[in-house]
Amino acid sequence: MNKKNLKLNFNSNQQESYISLNANAKLYAKHPDSYKFDLLAAKKYIEEEINPKFKFFASFKERINFLVSQKYYDPEVISQYSFTELEKLNEKAWSYNHFFPSFMGAFKFYSTYGLKSNDNLTYFEHFPDRVLLNSLFLGKGNFKNAEKILEQIMLGRFQPATPTFLNAGKLKRGEFVSCYLIRVEDNMESISRAITTSLQLSKRGGGVSVLLTNLREQGAPIKDIQNQATGVIPVMKILEDSFSYANQLGQRQGAGAVYLNVHHPDILAFLDTKRENADEKIRIKSLSLGVLIPNITFELAKNNEKMALFSVYDVEKVYKKAFSDISITEKYYEMLENPNIKKTFILARKLFKIIAELHFESGYPYILFEDTVNKENAHPDRVVMSNLCSEITQPSTPSTFLADLSFKKTGQDICCNLGSINIDKAMESGVNFEEMVYYAVLSLDIVSRNSDLSVAPSIEKGNKLNHAIGLGAMNLHGFFAKNEINYDSAEALDFTNIFFYCLAFASFKASQKLAQIYGPFAGFEKTKFATGEYFDKYIKTDPNTFLPKTTTIKELFAKYNVFIPTQKDWIELVKQIRKTGIANSHLMAVAPTGSISYLTSCTPSLQPVVAPVEVRKEGKLGRIYVPSYKLSHKTYNFYQKGAYELGPIPIINIVAEAQKHVDQAISMTLFMTDKATTRDLNLAYIYAFKKGCKSIYYVRIRQDVLENSENYETCQSCVI
């Protein structure tokens, strides 16, 4: 095997440990060359920690035969290719001379992704080996596709989500899907089935989000006997214990979230479970909370009015459908005047104040702007929830069950097939931009068609009918810094708008091409894609709307030679889409990319970095220092104003520009200093709502005692 070591030509104490060398990176502000010690730390880590425990083989053939015979690699994945093809792909993977540009990238790969022996004492994979297995799996026996996918990953243009990258080609593995969404109906069978399904999915390494909006409130009748229902809290406790118990062979902790509409009568008790001083009987420690806020709630708060919390039990009796399937904004005053629907009241502003208080305490809850999401929804069914990272917005339909919990009628639930484009590398792809996006979309489509979801029949059905994917992006701040663009500038907004405009066009074009192979997703003819209405923003607007507005961005797209579609291009594409359909019901969703951005040594998602050199706490290693993407004397100043200094407004502005072109949502974290007040947070919610953002993920409050480290644990099942 041709394993090359990186040669670093600068002086350092060769006796220093890789931890000490990495720590030198924190001195960057005083010593601009100190980031180079991080490269040396990565090199020493591999030489001293990995290579002595790595099993080397005399030949590639010996290696593959060993890993298949010892039941590490899946023989079905390997056998799709001739040995000559396998050798060519392996040679190609190693030809890129990959080396981790940061210690954190190397540590993340070998601690999380690289294949190890069953006793965890021996390493079997370097980065090109893992990429090879991903390309074999995602290529599905097609050598050309495998070669192209391998190229995109090795060049850093596209990175599959953690579940795919971790599990592809392995015999003992979890599933390839990032997370799952399950809606629950107001009966014991649906609740029980959701809990058992959550256990099964968590066992396989997926994060699970559960909708609780439809459960009758505490004190509601059961079988006409008053004050019998115990509400949503007991279900939350059971789910929390379930996720704590089930994990994927100890590799990824089980993680779950629950969503509740703010007009549910249990909303205050729901939020109180995250209070620091909550009673242990109700306190929720590890389960994530999310709320759905309709437009009417903002309107009531604006007017300083009371908001009604409607009896879920009564609403379902009156309307003959679940609470989540009703637009609260549309039916609010009608339900308010209906004497058959019980209601209690709280001040709308008090609700927002409580949410802000909890954000200061815990970072929760996630927020989904219900009507914004459904206004942009191209499908006839309603979006009623999101996932653990608040970027998935797909419709779901109810299931019904028999007494033994078997399905009487199988509805459609949701899974997230995720991966991300590295924005800087994507721009560098130039004339190959559309080809890169095609193979990224193809990869995610393959995941949707080759995941075993039989333990969750409603999710399996939704996946088979829709083949929904979520192509995201990362390294936006890294691209800005490299090109000397301030995150909070007009040029940054201009670039974000045009880049995601190009990405949307290429994604729809790729899915239309796949539809020629697989046919359109089920129900395509009932969507706004089929009528063309979804694309009106591109074909019925001023042709200059989606051209760069600043000289800098015009010059950048010209420099990189990335094609910007014209209105005529959209008109032709929409014509083809209406004729053949698209293969995927949903195409884009921007996830947080916490894990894979560290793996690929780039900045996360669309967020600004916290500091030029971030501090992370990683188990026994303690503090790890992570220099920003391509940190240098030139780029340092463009990282120095970090997320907390920038505050929420520039982040919201950036996300709003991208959101114009993303059919699902964008996982958006807001950063506040310790001087922020609940009023400041409320103003940020309102601003995000007015700008057309679809969701808010975490709110992070800077605490100096933690330096620049993360304040809250992020869901590792879903950050991809």
Side-chain angles (χ1 to χ4, degrees):
M1 302 292 288
N2 184 23
K3 312 291 197 294
K4 294 184 178 180
N5 290 325
L6 179 68
K7 294 182 179 179
L8 299 174
N9 297 315
F10 60 93
N11 296 322
S12 88
N13 183 349
Q14 295 298 315
Q15 301 305 312
E16 283 192 82
S17 70
Y18 54 83
I19 293 296
S20 298
L21 288 166
N22 168 256
N24 282 314
K26 69 181 178 181
L27 303 174
Y28 183 85
K30 295 180 179 178
H31 304 285
D33 284 339
S34 65
Y35 76 94
K36 295 179 181 178
F37 286 96
D38 188 52
L39 290 173
L40 187 58
K43 182 175 183 289
K44 289 201 78 172
Y45 171 70
I46 294 172
E47 287 179 347
E48 297 178 3
E49 184 67 26
I50 304 303
N51 285 347
K53 301 175 185 177
F54 197 92
K55 185 172 179 62
F56 291 95
F57 297 89
S59 67
F60 174 67
K61 185 174 184 179
E62 179 186 325
R63 178 177 182 274
I64 290 296
N65 288 342
F66 173 85
L67 293 174
V68 170
S69 66
Q70 296 301 306
K71 302 188 185 322
Y72 287 106
Y73 280 171
D74 186 346
E76 291 188 12
V77 173
I78 304 296
S79 64
Q80 295 177 103
Y81 304 85
S82 70
F83 186 73
T84 300
E85 290 175 329
L86 292 173
E87 281 192 311
K88 286 181 179 178
L89 290 170
N90 181 63
E91 288 174 8
K92 186 176 180 67
W94 281 97
S95 70
Y96 293 94
N97 295 317
H98 174 271
F99 187 80
F100 294 100
S102 73
F103 169 69
M104 185 61 170
F107 174 75
K108 182 64 71 174
F109 175 77
Y110 290 107
S111 63
T112 303
Y113 297 96
L115 178 66
K116 303 181 197 62
S117 59
N118 294 333
D119 59 10
N120 284 323
L121 297 178
T122 305
Y123 292 91
F124 292 134
E125 287 181 333
H126 290 303
F127 186 80
D129 301 318
R130 185 91 299 263
V131 173
L132 172 65
L133 266 292
N134 272 259
S135 67
L136 298 178
F137 168 69
L138 297 171
K140 291 302 294 178
N142 184 310
F143 178 78
K144 178 188 174 184
N145 288 347
E147 186 177 40
K148 287 292 185 179
I149 292 168
L150 184 146
E151 178 183 352
Q152 308 312 318
I153 301 174
M154 288 303 305
L155 287 173
R157 297 172 179 171
F158 169 66
Q159 178 60 45
T162 287
T164 305
F165 196 62
L166 171 66
N167 291 308
K170 292 180 181 177
L171 195 58
K172 300 170 186 176
R173 59 171 179 78
E175 276 307 317
F176 312 110
V177 178
S178 295
C179 50
Y180 308 90
L181 290 75
I182 303 172
R183 61 175 282 165
V184 181
E185 311 310 319
D186 188 31
N187 58 76
M188 190 62 75
E189 291 76 19
S190 183
I191 295 169
S192 300
R193 186 77 196 206
I195 292 167
T196 56
T197 301
S198 295
L199 274 165
Q200 289 292 335
L201 293 171
S202 186
K203 167 187 170 182
R204 289 159 174 79
V208 185
S209 184
V210 180
L211 178 70
L212 301 184
T213 294
N214 297 330
L215 300 188
R216 69 189 72 186
E217 67 279 8
Q218 183 179 15
I222 297 177
K223 295 183 178 179
D224 296 325
I225 303 174
Q226 296 296 319
N227 299 314
Q228 295 301 303
T230 54
V232 301
I233 307 300
V235 178
M236 294 166 66
K237 296 292 284 186
I238 296 171
L239 284 168
E240 180 167 61
D241 290 341
S242 299
F243 291 123
S244 297
Y245 179 75
N247 62 64
Q248 185 192 336
L249 300 175
Q251 289 179 293
R252 289 156 63 80
Q253 292 300 310
V258 286
Y259 276 82
L260 194 73
N261 192 293
V262 294
H263 288 269
H264 190 291
D266 287 349
I267 185 63
L268 295 183
F270 176 83
L271 294 172
D272 280 346
T273 63
K274 280 292 183 183
R275 293 281 190 186
E276 289 180 352
N277 60 351
D279 189 291
E280 285 300 316
K281 292 180 180 178
I282 68 163
R283 190 180 178 199
I284 295 296
K285 298 177 182 178
S286 59
L287 193 66
S288 301
L289 307 188
V291 295
L292 294 98
I293 305 181
N295 288 3
I296 187 65
T297 318
F298 282 98
E299 189 66 27
L300 295 169
K302 178 182 177 182
N303 298 328
N304 199 20
E305 296 179 35
K306 291 181 178 180
M307 59 181 281
L309 311 179
F310 299 105
S311 166
V312 175
Y313 177 80
D314 291 343
V315 168
E316 187 164 342
K317 281 181 65 177
V318 169
Y319 288 98
K320 308 301 179 188
K321 58 182 177 180
F323 193 87
S324 65
D325 293 329
I326 295 168
S327 168
I328 301 297
T329 297
E330 290 178 9
K331 299 292 184 181
Y332 182 81
Y333 291 104
E334 182 181 301
M335 292 193 294
L336 197 63
E337 296 170 5
N338 191 326
N340 295 319
I341 298 177
K342 292 180 183 177
K343 49 200 73 81
T344 53
F345 295 89
I346 61 170
L347 278 172
R349 288 185 181 179
K350 179 182 177 181
L351 172 75
F352 283 102
K353 183 174 183 291
I354 290 171
I355 290 173
E357 289 172 352
L358 285 174
H359 275 147
F360 275 99
E361 289 186 28
S362 66
Y364 296 107
Y366 309 148
I367 295 174
L368 188 70
F369 300 121
E370 184 181 37
D371 292 316
T372 303
V373 166
N374 280 293
K375 180 184 176 183
E376 299 298 321
N377 177 23
H379 302 263
D381 293 314
R382 282 178 59 77
V383 176
V384 299
M385 65 186 298
S386 189
N387 64 321
L388 278 125
C389 298
S390 70
E391 82 277 9
I392 298 301
T393 53
Q394 301 173 23
S396 55
T397 59
S399 299
T400 56
F401 303 91
L402 299 172
D404 65 356
L405 305 189
S406 60
F407 281 82
K408 182 178 180 181
K409 177 187 175 184
T410 306
Q412 294 184 44
D413 281 317
I414 301 161
C415 66
C416 320
N417 306 303
L418 303 175
S420 291
I421 297 293
N422 181 322
I423 292 172
D424 183 44
K425 301 298 184 182
M427 290 297 290
E428 287 180 354
S429 70
V431 294
N432 297 314
F433 183 90
E434 284 192 5
E435 178 185 78
M436 171 205 65
V437 174
Y438 172 77
Y439 284 105
V441 170
L442 172 64
S443 296
L444 301 185
D445 183 81
I446 289 294
V447 172
S448 79
R449 296 178 193 274
N450 291 275
S451 294
D452 181 3
L453 303 175
S454 56
V455 297
S458 57
I459 292 176
E460 181 179 46
K461 179 179 179 180
N463 184 56
K464 283 185 176 179
L465 292 177
N466 296 307
H467 295 294
I469 64 173
L471 180 62
M474 57 187 177
N475 206 22
L476 182 65
H477 196 181
F479 178 82
F480 288 160
K482 175 187 168 182
N483 291 281
E484 302 183 58
I485 297 170
N486 287 309
Y487 189 92
D488 56 346
S489 65
E491 288 80 6
L493 296 177
D494 193 18
F495 174 80
T496 304
N497 177 37
I498 300 302
F499 179 84
F500 278 91
Y501 169 78
C502 295
L503 186 59
F505 179 83
S507 298
F508 277 105
K509 189 173 182 179
S511 191
Q512 187 271 332
K513 189 174 178 180
L514 290 177
Q516 297 175 49
I517 301 171
Y518 299 113
F521 68 87
F524 166 79
E525 68 282 356
K526 298 177 183 178
T527 68
K528 294 176 183 178
F529 299 133
T531 63
E533 182 183 348
Y534 178 86
F535 304 104
D536 284 352
K537 58 188 174 184
Y538 300 125
I539 63 177
K540 292 186 178 180
T541 54
D542 184 335
N544 296 318
T545 302
F546 299 111
L547 289 175
K549 296 178 176 60
T550 62
T551 302
T552 298
I553 303 309
K554 287 179 185 176
E555 291 175 350
L556 270 179
F557 274 85
K559 170 187 171 183
Y560 286 109
N561 204 15
V562 173
F563 170 68
I564 301 176
T566 65
Q567 192 172 71
K568 288 182 179 179
D569 294 317
W570 273 105
I571 291 171
E572 180 57 32
L573 177 59
V574 172
K575 180 180 176 182
Q576 293 301 316
I577 287 174
R578 296 185 68 180
K579 180 179 178 181
T580 66
I582 53 178
N584 315 96
S585 65
H586 297 78
L587 283 170
M588 296 172 65
V590 182
T593 73
S595 291
I596 62 171
S597 59
Y598 287 122
L599 172 69
T600 53
S601 304
C602 70
T603 64
S605 190
L606 309 188
Q607 304 288 148
V609 299
V610 174
V613 179
E614 183 188 358
V615 185
R616 293 289 301 180
K617 292 181 180 178
E618 292 290 337
K620 295 179 181 179
L621 289 184
R623 294 182 177 183
I624 293 180
Y625 297 88
V626 188
S628 294
Y629 181 75
K630 294 190 179 299
L631 186 62
S632 67
H633 183 69
K634 184 183 81 168
T635 62
Y636 182 83
N637 289 336
F638 296 93
Y639 287 124
Q640 195 168 15
K641 196 174 183 181
Y644 293 107
E645 289 77 22
L646 286 165
I649 301 305
I651 296 172
I652 292 169
N653 288 337
I654 286 288
V655 169
E657 289 300 312
Q659 189 65 78
K660 297 174 185 177
H661 312 290
V662 176
D663 59 316
Q664 297 189 73
I666 296 169
S667 186
M668 176 174 67
T669 297
L670 302 182
F671 296 82
M672 313 288 285
T673 68
D674 53 6
K675 294 180 175 61
T677 65
T678 55
R679 183 176 182 274
D680 294 327
L681 268 178
N682 285 163
L683 291 173
Y685 307 152
I686 294 166
Y687 188 71
F689 168 69
K690 288 183 175 180
K691 289 291 289 185
C693 298
K694 291 182 179 179
S695 66
I696 297 173
Y697 183 32
Y698 280 113
V699 172
R700 300 199 186 281
I701 312 299
R702 178 158 61 190
Q703 300 175 23
D704 290 338
V705 69
L706 295 178
E707 295 185 63
N708 295 316
S709 63
E710 298 290 352
N711 295 22
Y712 310 104
E713 288 300 318
T714 301
C715 162
Q716 292 305 308
S717 293
C718 200
V719 295
I720 78 170

